[in-house]
Amino acid sequence: MRFLRLEDVAEELNVKLPQVRALVKSGELPAIQIGGRGMWRVERVALENYIQERYAQAREDIANETHS
């Protein structure tokens, strides 16, 4: 599947749906609205990129803590 529902994203990240909605609303996790009801979808590659960015940020945070 190319696109995931927000519920699917929440399940993959093991977080609650409101957390995913907040990530989308802030623009941190790119998503698009589909259909008349405005259902949100996240492209799988966008989710994978987000995860990789979080790993990079975690590494940077750890390195900064080590040098403090």
Side-chain angles (χ1 to χ4, degrees):
M1 269 192 316
R2 180 176 178 180
F3 291 97
L4 302 167
R5 299 174 308 140
L6 296 189
E7 294 84 357
D8 300 326
V9 173
E11 186 175 324
E12 288 220 19
L13 294 176
N14 196 28
V15 298
K16 300 212 183 278
L17 183 57
Q19 290 175 288
V20 174
R21 288 185 200 273
L23 290 172
V24 168
K25 185 174 181 179
S26 72
E28 195 171 344
L29 179 61
I32 58 173
Q33 280 189 304
I34 304 291
R37 290 183 165 190
M39 303 295 285
W40 287 97
R41 296 292 184 264
V42 175
E43 197 167 9
R44 182 168 290 284
V45 69
L47 176 58
E48 293 302 326
N49 289 341
Y50 171 78
I51 292 168
Q52 291 306 313
E53 289 168 7
R54 300 310 313 148
Y55 274 123
Q57 184 63 52
R59 285 189 298 270
E60 185 177 315
D61 291 347
I62 290 168
N64 289 338
E65 287 176 7
T66 304
H67 295 113
S68 293

